[in-house]
Amino acid sequence: MTGLPEAASIRGEALACTDLLALEEFRLRWLGKKGEITGLLKGLGAVDPAERSARGAAINALRDIAQTAWEARKAELEVIAEQAALDAGWIDVTAPSSARAAGRLHPITVLLEEVIDHFTGLGFEVASGPEIEDEFHNFDALNIPKDHPARDVWDTFYTDRREIPRTHTSSVQIRAMQTRKPPIRVISPGRVFRNETIDATHHASFNQVEGLLVDRHVTVGHLKHTLETLVTRIMGRKLETRFRPAFYPFVEPGLDLDVQCVFCNGVGCSICKGSGYIELIPGGLVHPKVLASCGLDPDEWQGFAFGMGFDRMVMMRYGIDDIRRLYDGRLQLVRQF
Ligand code: DAH
């Protein structure tokens, strides 16, 4: 029909669009409100009435052709665009991979294995106890009576049933004395729990290693020697140590073993607060009441006990200055002494 575009050229034009932007221009040109087909329809009024209806039908047919061509090309271009997006992020499975750091044992595990090796070499056995304790094992039998202010020191969590996520591994001392006959030599590594605000030096869950020896004629000298050889083994060299008197209800006398600060070699620094020593291992001779609460005659048996904050040892040995690093999976070892 005269003056009308060719259907084939409309189709060709749609096919010539190579992206969705060009196709949108095609749509506006042919199918938009101000597009060519709308213009042709508007022009019908000026057409000879005899030709008008045939010309109208022809224009409508062209509109359907443009619409169909647009839809078909749109579907094609969408598939092409999707493929291009995939191609942009495509993974070459044959390319060599980037280097990855190999996993390794956690420093707590490494040091614990060494400590266990050290003590088993001295004839100690590893004993364990439950992480959820009762008041007897966590407090009463350790000469920490109910309502005694000493209980407050431990910032205890309680469950609804008044069970205690153990505040220290000293509870295992009691279990060892109840179930074994002297001579007893045990260490007990494990997790303990305290209602502490977490910061660089405190955590609500951390590790301790408890030690207990019960025999005849046990003295502070035995404890001193045992702990000093342990420190030498862990730190890889002999460090200055000193005992200071301290109070723990389950030992008499109670002592704290301080070790020469490894960060400043005893000169005095911010970590040891200028003293040149770091407080490392509390201990003492087992209190006669504790022996008695486990059915042992204090006139016949003596013992020493100690309870190290194990995380602090790990931190000292590996130069980790924030306890949270031990538990948050972003551990980077700075130095090894
Ligand atoms: N249980 C104590 C605490 O968690 C540490 C401790 C001190 C353990 C003296 C001992 C000891 O065995 O004799 O604070």
Side-chain angles (χ1 to χ4, degrees):
M1 197 164 284
T2 50
L4 290 186
E6 291 284 321
S9 76
I10 294 178
R11 283 199 198 95
E13 224 177 274
L15 280 175
C17 295
T18 51
D19 58 45
L20 289 162
L21 213 69
L23 189 66
E24 179 61 6
E25 276 169 23
F26 167 89
R27 189 186 69 79
L28 291 172
R29 177 159 133 70
W30 291 107
L31 300 162
K33 274 189 195 148
K34 293 178 185 162
E36 302 231 359
I37 289 176
T38 315
L40 288 171
L41 289 171
K42 278 184 187 156
L44 273 180
V47 172
D48 181 350
E51 285 183 22
R52 197 177 288 158
S53 81
R55 187 173 173 85
I59 295 170
N60 281 336
L62 284 178
R63 191 193 53 213
D64 291 348
I65 285 164
Q67 177 74 26
T68 312
W70 174 74
E71 279 170 15
R73 189 60 183 154
K74 184 162 178 274
E76 278 169 11
L77 288 178
E78 277 170 355
V79 171
I80 291 168
E82 200 174 308
Q83 188 59 47
L86 278 178
D87 288 351
W90 109 289
I91 300 163
D92 179 0
V93 291
T94 64
S97 66
S98 50
R100 277 204 181 196
R104 54 160 103 174
L105 292 175
H106 194 282
I108 291 180
T109 310
V110 173
L111 194 59
L112 186 56
E113 278 174 7
E114 256 179 62
V115 168
I116 290 175
D117 183 58
H118 177 77
F119 278 106
T120 49
L122 295 173
F124 283 71
E125 288 173 69
V126 176
S128 64
E131 289 182 349
I132 302 293
E133 266 296 2
D134 51 46
E135 296 206 45
F136 178 78
H137 290 91
N138 199 86
F139 288 132
D140 301 343
L142 286 161
N143 192 31
I144 314 170
K146 285 190 179 50
D147 306 322
H148 191 281
R151 271 200 195 192
D152 301 342
V153 176
W154 278 277
D155 299 309
T156 314
F157 286 119
Y158 285 94
T159 69
D160 298 348
R161 287 181 282 167
R162 253 194 112 64
E163 295 151 327
I164 299 171
R166 65 181 176 193
T167 59
H168 50 189
T169 44
S170 299
S171 54
V172 188
Q173 274 188 42
I174 304 302
R175 293 183 178 275
M177 285 188 274
Q178 285 176 324
T179 54
R180 293 163 198 246
K181 284 197 174 12
I184 299 170
R185 270 175 262 165
V186 290
I187 57 162
S188 179
R191 202 170 257 263
V192 301
F193 308 89
R194 291 191 196 172
N195 193 356
E196 294 261 17
T197 306
I198 297 172
D199 62 23
T201 51
H202 298 89
H203 214 287
S205 163
F206 52 97
N207 292 279
Q208 287 189 335
V209 177
E210 190 79 10
L212 171 75
L213 178 143
V214 178
D215 209 326
R216 296 178 211 275
H217 315 301
V218 178
T219 69
V220 168
H222 295 118
L223 174 62
K224 188 163 185 283
H225 178 76
T226 306
L227 295 185
E228 280 175 353
T229 51
L230 173 70
V231 170
T232 307
R233 165 89 188 255
I234 289 179
M235 295 304 164
R237 62 194 160 108
K238 192 152 175 36
L239 295 170
E240 287 296 319
T241 56
R242 69 179 186 196
F243 264 137
R244 269 181 307 110
F247 172 73
Y248 302 97
F250 28 92
V251 278
E252 181 57 41
L255 303 158
D256 278 337
L257 180 81
D258 291 350
V259 175
Q260 179 192 330
C261 177
V262 289
F263 295 95
C264 64
N265 287 323
V267 177
C269 65
S270 61
I271 294 176
C272 62
K273 300 193 185 76
S275 73
Y277 283 91
I278 291 182
E279 189 184 317
L280 204 58
I281 311 178
L285 295 187
V286 182
H287 198 290
K289 283 193 183 167
V290 174
L291 292 166
S293 72
C294 299
L296 296 175
D297 178 358
D299 291 331
E300 191 181 355
W301 302 106
Q302 298 84 48
F304 69 66
F306 58 88
M308 20 174 177
F310 197 63
D311 305 61
R312 181 180 283 201
M313 284 221 165
V314 174
M315 289 163 74
M316 245 176 97
R317 162 134 143 194
Y318 291 102
I320 298 164
D321 60 3
D322 188 326
I323 191 172
R324 292 168 291 195
R325 293 291 91 78
L326 289 178
Y327 298 104
D328 68 5
R330 285 185 289 136
L331 192 58
Q332 295 232 321
L333 300 186
V334 182
R335 119 190 89 201
Q336 183 159 2
F337 292 101

